[in-house]
Amino acid sequence: MLDTPSVIFIMGPTASGKTDLAVELVRRFPCDIISVDSAMVYRGMDIGTAKPGPTVLAQAPHRLIDILDPAVAYSAAQFRADAHREIDAIHAAGRIPLLVGGTMLYFRALQHGLSALPSADAEVRGVIDAEARERGWAALHQRLAQIDPAAAARIHPNDPQRIQRALEVYQLTGRPLSSFFTSQMVIPAAPALPGTLIKLVMAPSDRAVMQGRIETRFHQMLEQGLIREVEALYQRGDLSRELPSIRSVGYRQVWDYLSDELSYSAMIERATSATRQLAKRQLTWLRREEEVQWFDSLQPMAFNSVIEYIEVAMKT
């Protein structure tokens, strides 16, 4: 084991095999897993998030899953604080933190810190969401293009969560969201990650294969009871699609199906389309990452290649 504690990042798009890889690494190295997923933090959201099942969790426990009720919002800043606490605990036990997931903002927050953006405002978000229901998110994206062309160029017209956030920031501060990322207003990432940081990406080289896996996996989720899972949330009465939990890909489309706003077939089409868009955004983000080693999840020996890479990296 290293004299200086290491931290390992396993990043990648949805449906790329990150969890299977993480479980294999736990078998080979003294690692403990920390989930880096903005939806797995919620209790009662298991099928649609592809949360590891009891058998997997018994072999490889995951920290930072099932820590919140879906009615509660969770921020990147909160994740950073929680992740640092778990990293310290894992190091204190003489083991290596293995951070695994696809929420790229969380990885960035942990390594680099966060821009000093205003906190979410429920009232402002409610106004934006109401307008979106009346006019559609495409119209709100057009408005964003007028007030913040740089942000609109980065945000897809079918990405309501990021459109909402950009409009919210502008309404709260009078400043375009993009201006925060070009200024020096940055919250430091202290405490810094200790020791050697090993950053890996697990992603398929063939986008068509990835898209096929996404469609297959969503149909498997439906067979496993995704609609019943979302219906249990829907019937609580205290949740709405404006909440970050319900806005998660897959959940918001099934929610709209239960609200009689989408047919069954339209729900499937929109959910798989939204998941493909998510994977595309994740890959775009990952291509900007520095000092990261990529592995092709379609290669038969991909797991062995990762293991060999980590063994070498831990000796340097």
Side-chain angles (χ1 to χ4, degrees):
M1 185 162 173
L2 287 174
D3 293 332
T4 304
S6 287
V7 177
I8 302 174
F9 284 2
I10 301 291
M11 304 177 286
T14 186
S16 61
K18 298 183 296 296
T19 297
D20 290 343
L21 172 60
V23 172
E24 184 63 28
L25 293 180
V26 166
R27 294 193 184 105
R28 302 296 188 100
F29 300 101
C31 292
D32 288 345
I33 297 173
I34 300 174
S35 172
V36 188
D37 190 290
S38 61
M40 287 190 189
V41 297
Y42 293 112
R43 294 185 289 271
M45 295 176 57
D46 303 332
I47 298 171
T49 63
K51 195 176 292 177
T55 301
V56 172
L57 292 176
Q59 301 173 15
H62 286 49
R63 301 176 186 228
L64 300 188
I65 66 171
D66 293 331
I67 62 173
L68 291 175
D69 185 87
V72 180
Y74 191 64
S75 70
Q78 289 171 304
F79 167 80
R80 187 178 63 168
D82 290 343
H84 271 296
R85 183 189 65 243
E86 299 297 343
I87 287 170
D88 290 344
I90 293 169
H91 283 159
R95 296 176 64 82
I96 301 171
L98 175 62
L99 289 97
V100 183
T103 302
M104 303 309 159
L105 176 60
Y106 286 7
F107 280 112
R108 186 181 73 177
L110 185 58
Q111 186 180 3
H112 301 296
L114 291 164
S115 298
L117 293 169
S119 299
D121 186 290
E123 183 175 355
V124 171
R125 289 193 168 192
V127 171
I128 295 171
D129 285 337
E131 184 180 357
R133 285 193 293 271
E134 294 176 1
R135 302 179 56 218
W137 285 105
L140 268 64
H141 186 270
Q142 291 175 1
R143 176 150 65 89
L144 177 62
Q146 295 174 352
I147 63 177
D148 191 352
R154 293 196 308 269
I155 299 173
H156 194 277
N158 293 332
D159 189 348
Q161 188 167 352
R162 294 179 69 198
I163 295 171
Q164 179 200 61
R165 180 56 174 157
L167 291 172
E168 176 190 37
V169 169
Y170 181 79
Q171 193 158 337
L172 288 172
T173 67
R175 291 180 55 190
L177 175 65
S178 58
S179 70
F180 285 87
F181 299 101
T182 57
S183 71
Q184 298 302 311
M185 296 177 60
V186 175
I187 302 171
L193 291 174
T196 304
L197 173 58
I198 301 173
K199 296 168 62 177
L200 311 176
V201 170
M202 177 64 70
S205 56
D206 189 328
R207 180 176 293 183
V209 172
M210 180 178 69
Q211 292 175 346
R213 285 182 174 179
I214 286 171
E215 184 171 351
T216 298
R217 188 171 74 163
F218 187 71
H219 281 281
Q220 290 172 342
M221 289 175 175
L222 292 173
E223 293 171 0
Q224 293 164 5
L226 176 60
I227 292 178
R228 291 193 301 273
E229 179 173 272
V230 181
E231 191 170 22
L233 301 172
Y234 188 86
Q235 293 178 343
R236 279 181 40 166
D238 64 331
L239 302 177
S240 71
R241 57 183 163 193
E242 283 73 37
L243 289 166
S245 57
I246 307 304
R247 288 204 306 266
S248 299
V249 170
Y251 286 87
R252 65 176 181 260
Q253 288 79 22
V254 176
W255 189 278
D256 289 343
Y257 165 69
L258 294 172
S259 302
D260 294 325
E261 296 182 24
L262 291 177
S263 67
Y264 186 79
S265 59
M267 176 269 292
I268 293 175
E269 192 281 327
R270 290 201 185 182
T272 53
S273 176
T275 309
R276 288 193 295 267
Q277 289 294 332
L278 170 62
K280 182 179 179 181
R281 294 194 300 271
Q282 289 169 321
L283 286 169
T284 298
W285 189 298
L286 286 165
R287 292 189 188 102
R288 296 197 296 262
E289 282 290 321
E290 298 178 352
E291 299 180 346
V292 62
Q293 183 69 33
W294 285 69
F295 293 89
D296 183 359
S297 59
L298 300 181
Q299 292 297 317
M301 301 298 289
F303 284 13
N304 289 339
S305 297
V306 172
I307 290 167
E308 292 173 4
Y309 179 83
I310 291 176
E311 288 175 341
V312 172
M314 289 174 63
K315 293 176 182 178
T316 57

